[in-house]
Amino acid sequence: MSGIAPTRRRIMVRAAAAALAISGLVSVSPSTAVAETPPEKTDRVIYWNNVLLDAFRQVGGHPGPLTRGGAMLNTALYDVANSISGEGKPYLTDVPEARWRHGSLNSALDYAAYHALEGAYPQLDFGDELAAALALPDSGTRTQKEFGKSLGTKVGNAIVAARANDGANDNTPYVQTDAPGYWRPTAPGAAPAGANWGKVKPWILRSGSQFRPQEPLGFGDRAELLASEAYAKQVDEVRRLGGATSTERTADQTEIARFWANDADGTYKPVGQQYEHAIIIQQSLRPDDSSYRTSKLFALLSIGLADAAISVWESKYHTNLWRPATAINLADTDGNDLTVADPNWKPLSANAAGVHFSPSFPSYSSGHSGIAAAWAGILRSYYGTDKIRFTGTTDDPNAVGVTRSFTSLTQAAQEKADSRLYAGVHFRMDNDAALAQGYRIADYVYANALK
C-alpha cells in the first residue's frame, strides 16, 4: 500500500498459520451456532488472531503490551459480533442499531480489528491485512458492507480510546536494590522490562495485586528466606536441572525447555504460543461456530491473559526476587551454608545465537506459568472439560519443527511451568505460585467478564 510512513512496518500473515496442526481432540458437543450468522469460509476472528501472532513476532518484548493488544483486538471483535447478534453483554460497546444486520458482520469485524490493532501497535501497518480480509468471501451487499465499516470503526476506536490512559506508557524509573536476594539484571546494561506493568488498569480484575501470591515459601523477611533449608533446596534443584551443561536433565526435559521458551524476539513469544494453541483447539472442536461464539471465546481468553500479565508483573516487581543465575553465581552472599557459589553457572535458556540468558525482570512469580494457567483455566471453563487432547507447536529457534502432544489443558500448563525450571530461569516456587495465581485469575475472569 503506497503512502505509508517508512517508520511503520507492515505485518504479513504467514501462510503456515492457516495450516493448523490438529490431532484427535476429545469429543466435545459443539455449541449451537447462531442461525442468522452462519460462518463464512474464512472465520474473521481466526484470521485476525493469526495477524496478531505476526504482530507479536515484530513487536517482541515482554508479555504486557502483547496481551494488551490481544485484548484490544478480541474485545473489539466480540463487541461487533455481539452488537449484531444481541446475544450477550458487551465488554465495552453495544450498538443497538446493528441488531440482526448480519450481512454487515464480516466488514464490521475487519474494520474493528484493523482499528484496534492500529491503536495497540501504532508502529506497525495493518493496511495489507485489512485489504486481504476485505477480499475474503463475503455475501454482504455494498450497503451492508458500508454499514459494517462504520460499525467496526466505531467499536475499534472505542476500545482504543478506553485504553488510552491505562498506564501502559508509565516510564517511572526502576530503582534497583543490590542486597542479596533481590533482582538485578543478569546481563550488563539490560533494562528492567515491564517495571510498571503491574500498575496498568486491569480488564476485569479490581487491581493488579488482587491475586498476588504469598511471599516466596511463606517467608516475609528476605534474609530468613535465603537462610532457610527450603530455599537451598530450590537453588540446588535449578542448579542441577537448569544449567547449560547439566548432566541430570533428560533429553525430554531439554526439549520441553526449548519447546515452551519462545523468549527471543522474532518469535510469537510465550503469549503467542497460547493463542496458537487456542486456535488449534478451537478449529478442531468447533470450526463451524458462529463468529459470535468464536469471538466470545477469544475475548475471554484475551482478557484472562492480559489480566494475568498485569497480575504476574505486579508480583514480580513487588517481590523483586533474584533469578536463579544470580542466586547461584552469588550464593556466597546469601548467608546459607547449604548453597554453594558457582560464578560460571549459566541457564540452559539461550537465543538463536547460543547466548545463554535470563529474561530481564524479577523471578517471582513466573510469567510463562501464570499465563499458561490463565489460558488453561479459561479454556476448560469455556469447553466444560479439562480433558482436551491436542498437539501444540512452537516458534522457538531452538525447537524448529518440534511438536508436543497433550491429553489435557492442565497437563500442558504444568509442562510449560516445568519448562522454566529446566531452562534454568525460574525456581520451582516461582512456577507453583504462578500456576495457582493464573487459575484464580481465569476463574475470576470467566465468572465476571461478558456476564
Side-chain angles (χ1 to χ4, degrees), residues 19 60 172 206 230 271 283 356 379:
T172 303
R206 295 190 297 272
V271 173
Q283 288 288 279
H356 298 278
L379 290 185

Side-chain angles (χ1 to χ4, degrees), residues 417-430:
D418 292 341
S419 77
R420 304 311 278 167
L421 172 66
Y422 305 145
V425 295
H426 275 293
F427 304 103
R428 185 176 295 276
M429 60 185 169
D430 305 338

Side-chain angles (χ1 to χ4, degrees), residues 132-202:
L134 294 173
L136 292 170
D138 189 346
S139 59
T141 66
R142 174 180 289 185
T143 299
Q144 290 170 330
K145 292 177 183 178
E146 283 300 313
F147 179 82
K149 178 180 179 179
S150 176
L151 171 63
T153 299
K154 178 177 181 178
V155 171
N157 285 339
I159 196 65
V160 173
R163 301 303 299 190
N165 299 302
D166 62 1
N169 296 318
D170 185 345
N171 293 316
T172 303
Y174 170 75
V175 179
Q176 183 171 316
T177 301
D178 290 328
Y182 289 89
W183 179 79
R184 75 283 306 275
T186 55
N196 301 299
W197 202 261
K199 296 181 285 185
V200 169
K201 179 183 177 181

Side-chain angles (χ1 to χ4, degrees), residues 119-282:
Y121 307 116
Q123 71 271 43
L124 301 180
D125 169 37
F126 296 91
D128 288 346
E129 286 62 48
L130 176 61
L134 294 173
L136 292 170
D138 189 346
S139 59
T141 66
R142 174 180 289 185
T143 299
Q144 290 170 330
K145 292 177 183 178
E146 283 300 313
F147 179 82
K149 178 180 179 179
S150 176
L151 171 63
T153 299
K154 178 177 181 178
V155 171
N157 285 339
I159 196 65
V160 173
R163 301 303 299 190
N165 299 302
D166 62 1
N169 296 318
D170 185 345
N171 293 316
T172 303
Y174 170 75
V175 179
Q176 183 171 316
T177 301
D178 290 328
Y182 289 89
W183 179 79
R184 75 283 306 275
T186 55
N196 301 299
W197 202 261
K199 296 181 285 185
V200 169
K201 179 183 177 181
W203 294 76
I204 291 295
L205 299 187
R206 295 190 297 272
S207 71
S209 63
Q210 183 176 347
F211 293 111
R212 180 195 294 164
Q214 68 169 357
E215 293 297 308
L217 302 178
F219 289 95
D221 181 86
R222 189 57 46 91
E224 290 181 4
L225 167 69
L226 299 185
S228 69
E229 181 180 356
Y231 169 77
K233 289 180 178 178
Q234 296 273 329
V235 174
D236 182 62
E237 183 181 33
V238 70
R239 179 190 63 79
R240 292 184 294 102
L241 295 178
T245 60
S246 170
T247 59
E248 295 189 39
R249 185 180 55 247
T250 67
D252 188 57
Q253 289 169 339
T254 298
E255 180 179 283
I256 288 170
R258 290 171 172 163
F259 174 84
W260 288 107
N262 295 292
D263 285 306
D265 287 345
T267 69
Y268 52 29
K269 307 294 282 189
V271 173
Q273 191 168 33
Q274 302 302 158
Y275 272 99
E276 181 157 278
H277 290 183
I279 291 171
I280 289 171
I281 290 170
Q282 190 279 335

Side-chain angles (χ1 to χ4, degrees), residues 17 32 37 46 54 69 125 131 178 201 209 215 229 251 323 326 345 374 381 387 405 417 439:
T32 302
T37 55
I46 300 301
D54 273 348
D125 169 37
D178 290 328
K201 179 183 177 181
S209 63
E215 293 297 308
E229 181 180 356
R323 287 277 178 175
T326 313
W345 189 93
S381 292
K387 297 185 181 302
S405 296
Y439 284 123

Side-chain angles (χ1 to χ4, degrees), residues 398-414:
N398 292 307
V400 175
V402 175
T403 62
R404 292 188 66 84
S405 296
F406 306 96
T407 59
S408 71
L409 301 168
T410 52
Q411 180 201 9
Q414 182 66 60

